[in-house]
Amino acid sequence: MTVIKEVSVEEGKTNNPQASDKENVKDEKAYSEETSKFIEQTSLDKMHEIAEAARLKKLMEPPKWVLPED
């Protein structure tokens, strides 16, 4: 069995998992704060609208085929 890990390197970011541990903790904290703020400021009806728009967008996308490698 082959495990494939997709890695994306953003401009200006380090591609060293050990060097970026502290950065990851800071990013997680910022993400949590941003998420909490969104939940507090957004009505449930608006969240439903956002989810429905995302669902419809996904339904309109063409199918993505993943072919196994030999």
Side-chain angles (χ1 to χ4, degrees), residues 17-28:
Q18 293 174 344
S20 63
D21 283 344
K22 290 180 184 177
E23 189 175 302
N24 286 341
V25 170
K26 186 170 67 172
D27 287 345
E28 286 181 27

Side-chain angles (χ1 to χ4, degrees), residues 26-66:
K26 186 170 67 172
D27 287 345
E28 286 181 27
K29 185 176 180 183
Y31 178 77
S32 295
E33 290 171 0
E34 187 177 322
T35 302
S36 295
K37 185 178 175 182
F38 173 81
I39 291 171
E40 289 173 9
Q41 295 178 350
T42 308
S43 71
L44 191 56
D45 289 335
K46 183 65 177 173
M47 289 185 203
H48 280 280
E49 289 175 20
I50 294 168
E52 182 64 13
R55 186 183 75 83
L56 291 174
K57 180 180 175 184
K58 181 133 180 104
L59 284 174
M60 293 181 178
E61 289 179 357
K64 296 178 184 175
W65 295 93
V66 179

